[in-house]
Amino acid sequence: MLTIPPNTRISLCTSPVDMRKSFNGLIGVVPNQLGDDSLAGHLFVFLNRYNTLAKILYWDRRDRNTSDTGRPSRPNDNSPARCR
C-alpha cells in the first residue's frame, strides 16, 4: 500500500512518452519536460501516445532503488518483504 503525504503534488506530462522507457529513463524526462526534481517526493504521471497506458513515478525517500528492469531491489536491512 502506498501512503502519499497531503502536500504531494501530482504532475501530468502532457506530451506522449515512449512506454519502453524504464523508470530510470523517466527520471530523466522529469527535469527536461516538466522542469521539476524527480526525487522531490511528488507524483509524475506519463501517458503513451494513445492515452491507453500510464506510468506513475514516485520517489518515497526510502533507501530503495529501482533497477533498469523496473523491479524494486531488496531493502538494505535484510528485512523480509511484506505484502498488505
Side-chain angles (χ1 to χ4, degrees), residues 7-13 25-46 57-59 61:
N7 61 347
T8 302
R9 283 185 287 127
I10 301 173
S11 298
L12 175 65
C13 184
L26 293 175
I27 287 173
V29 172
V30 172
N32 293 337
Q33 292 188 7
L34 299 175
D36 208 345
D37 181 18
S38 57
L39 304 178
H42 300 294
L43 288 169
F44 300 98
V45 181
F46 302 94
L57 181 67
Y58 176 68
W59 183 260
R61 297 183 183 160

Side-chain angles (χ1 to χ4, degrees), residues 10-72:
I10 301 173
S11 298
L12 175 65
C13 184
T14 55
S15 59
V17 174
D18 185 0
M19 287 293 140
R20 295 175 293 181
K21 285 185 183 277
S22 66
F23 286 105
N24 291 335
L26 293 175
I27 287 173
V29 172
V30 172
N32 293 337
Q33 292 188 7
L34 299 175
D36 208 345
D37 181 18
S38 57
L39 304 178
H42 300 294
L43 288 169
F44 300 98
V45 181
F46 302 94
L47 300 172
N48 68 341
R49 184 169 58 172
Y50 303 109
N51 295 333
T52 57
L53 296 173
K55 283 189 178 181
I56 300 172
L57 181 67
Y58 176 68
W59 183 260
D60 65 358
R61 297 183 183 160
R62 288 187 238 170
D63 191 21
R64 297 181 185 184
N65 295 320
T66 304
S67 65
D68 288 334
T69 60
R71 296 181 187 147

